[in-house]
Amino acid sequence: MTISRHYVLAAGGTGGHMIPAFALGEELLKRGHHVALVTDERGTKIPGCPEKIARHILPAGRMSGGPIGWLRGARAIGQGREMAKMLYRNFEPSCVVGFGGYPAFPALLGAFACKVPTIIHEQNAVLGRVNRLTASKVNAIVTAYPDVQRLKPRDKDKVHLLGNPVREEVLGLRDQSYPPLDEDGIFRVLVTGGSQGATILSEVVPDGLARLPLNLRRRLQVTQQCREEDIDAVRQKYSEHQIPAELATYLPDMPERLGWAHLVISRAGASTIAELTAAGRPAILIPLPSAMDNHQAYNVSEMVQAGGGRAIAQPQFTPTELAKQIQKIAMQPGALENAAKAAKKCGRPNAVTDLANLVESYGKAPTQKPLKAKAQHHGGFGAASPAMAKDAMAKDTFAGEGGR
């Protein structure tokens, strides 16, 4: 029999941190538990949060900007920690799970103070700043890659290699065969640069595809995500090159697009890599050079070494180089299919269930105030407590200054 427990998930306001938190939250809800989410204002705007998860905004400071910025950041972190402690006294979580990002820091500090078990999940192949600061004190560290940079030897005994949770629609692709591709068939290419597209892909990909040999170029069917300010210029380029292309600033049916793609050209964010390897799709990856700690350059290592993709550093990402790499993978018989199989071998499709199992292994169900906790859930549990709501409104200035 499942015993209902309370869990708090803490994540920063970017899709890379929030999507795994949403996936775990959904799984814990299915298992009959109560879940609360701690984030910042940006996090509340990321789509996909299950409706039954209560959301709390905490101040989250960045320690940057010189002495004044440090003071503001420290003050916001301290306020967030106290608000987190208030939440934990009312909610009595069995475990707090941090997914990185600045809002996770005060939530974890509050958990340490209240002696609540803690887990951190690292989506990238480089341990993020907040996870580095808390790694020595948490009970467990969950990783998505076998080799994670900036992880200290003393903490490696806590590591569980479970992967990045992905959407159920993407997991469903794992049971589907790679799309058939014969010598005269349509060659479908999906181009995506993350949640907001990438200008460098808009500048390079159309001209790169135009440099392919005629017998391959005439078979192309392209779907590309673009920034709004780039889309007209990209449309003009494809028209000039006479390459059929569907362009959009947002692709709501991304899993379906991924399902029919023969090749993906994309950035190398953690969620992107997780979906490519879950679905088994070969890719040409262009790591974002400005990513913190250059983590996207490390994210590609496992998939590239396995033969599931190719990586091109942005300084070398030119139309000529792109055309060269596509020809290597697309014009050799069976190469794309073999790359798809190699990519799939890198996938960890059980990530969300394995993570939920780990989370359930820590802590116990609330026993001190079960009636109060139950009443909160059924009586408008989707909002913060009145005291926390008042504090959150008063501290929004610090969340805006320190947490973005």
Side-chain angles (χ1 to χ4, degrees):
M1 180 178 69
T2 299
I3 299 176
S4 179
R5 298 181 180 182
H6 298 170
Y7 294 105
V8 171
L9 313 182
T14 66
H17 298 307
M18 302 298 291
I19 291 173
F22 293 163
L24 174 61
E26 184 68 42
E27 178 66 20
L28 292 173
L29 289 172
K30 289 179 180 178
R31 298 185 183 198
H33 303 302
H34 303 302
V35 182
L37 172 69
V38 169
T39 187
D40 58 7
E41 287 183 345
R42 296 176 305 160
T44 63
K45 298 175 183 177
I46 301 293
C49 182
E51 291 183 2
K52 292 185 179 180
I53 292 182
R55 293 179 292 180
H56 303 273
I57 299 176
L58 297 190
R62 293 173 183 252
M63 302 303 289
S64 60
I68 295 178
W70 300 336
L71 181 61
R72 286 177 175 172
R75 184 180 179 185
I77 290 170
Q79 291 168 338
R81 175 179 178 271
E82 293 307 306
M83 291 171 67
K85 289 166 62 178
M86 184 188 306
L87 171 63
Y88 302 156
R89 284 195 293 269
N90 291 329
F91 190 55
E92 296 185 76
S94 295
C95 184
V96 174
V97 187
F99 287 84
Y102 289 99
F105 191 40
L108 289 167
L109 292 179
F112 298 153
C114 295
K115 301 188 185 306
V116 177
T118 51
I119 297 171
I120 55 176
H121 180 277
E122 179 54 61
Q123 301 87 50
N124 294 295
V126 180
L127 203 64
R129 187 170 299 175
V130 168
N131 284 346
R132 291 201 299 269
L133 290 172
T134 57
S136 64
K137 294 186 177 181
V138 300
N139 297 88
I141 301 169
V142 177
T143 64
Y145 298 93
D147 183 20
V148 177
Q149 305 295 313
R150 307 294 291 270
L151 180 66
K152 294 185 177 180
R154 71 184 183 195
D155 298 322
K156 290 187 176 181
D157 289 343
K158 303 178 185 179
V159 171
H160 301 259
L161 175 59
L162 304 182
N164 273 325
V166 300
R167 292 171 285 183
E168 290 186 3
E169 301 92 328
V170 175
L171 284 179
L173 299 176
R174 195 168 179 85
D175 297 328
Q176 299 179 16
S177 300
Y178 181 77
L181 181 63
D182 56 44
E183 292 183 0
D184 297 319
I186 296 175
F187 179 36
R188 300 185 182 94
V189 177
L190 174 64
V191 186
T192 175
S195 60
Q196 295 182 344
T199 294
I200 187 68
L201 299 184
S202 294
E203 293 173 346
V204 173
V205 174
D207 292 338
L209 295 178
R211 284 169 166 75
L212 292 173
L214 179 61
N215 65 334
L216 182 58
R217 188 173 73 245
R218 65 179 176 81
R219 297 164 49 204
L220 287 171
Q221 175 63 57
V222 180
T223 297
Q224 182 162 346
Q225 178 194 23
C226 307
R227 291 180 183 271
E228 185 174 356
E229 60 268 29
D230 298 331
I231 196 166
D232 289 338
V234 177
R235 184 175 289 111
Q236 180 63 30
K237 282 188 175 183
Y238 278 120
S239 177
E240 292 173 356
H241 298 319
Q242 298 182 332
I243 296 175
E246 180 181 354
L247 310 179
T249 57
Y250 176 66
L251 297 171
D253 56 346
M254 181 64 80
E256 181 180 348
R257 306 281 184 168
L258 183 61
W260 57 245
H262 294 108
L263 177 68
V264 178
I265 303 173
S266 72
R267 286 297 195 191
S271 295
T272 297
I273 300 291
E275 293 193 345
L276 289 170
T277 55
R281 290 297 179 270
I284 294 178
L285 303 163
I286 301 87
L288 176 67
S290 61
M292 184 173 290
D293 299 316
N294 199 27
H295 63 252
Q296 289 200 6
Y298 292 97
N299 288 353
V300 303
S301 296
E302 182 183 23
M303 188 174 174
V304 170
Q305 290 176 7
R310 295 171 179 267
I312 305 175
Q314 186 160 307
Q316 286 75 52
F317 185 55
T318 64
T320 300
E321 181 62 23
L322 176 60
K324 176 182 174 182
Q325 294 299 331
I326 292 176
Q327 288 182 70
K328 286 183 176 180
I329 198 171
M331 298 192 72
Q332 297 180 13
L336 280 167
E337 290 84 351
N338 290 335
K341 293 177 183 178
K344 184 179 286 189
K345 288 181 179 179
C346 296
R348 296 179 175 86
N350 299 322
V352 69
T353 55
D354 290 343
L355 178 57
N357 290 340
L358 177 66
V359 170
E360 284 185 323
S361 72
Y362 286 92
K364 58 184 180 181
T367 56
Q368 295 180 355
K369 296 179 287 184
L371 295 179
K372 181 177 179 181
K374 184 176 181 180
Q376 274 189 326
H377 179 73
H378 293 287
F381 180 67
S385 65
M388 285 197 63
K390 181 178 179 181
D391 283 348
M393 291 176 65
K395 309 307 181 187
D396 271 351
T397 299
F398 297 101
E401 291 175 350
R404 295 184 179 230

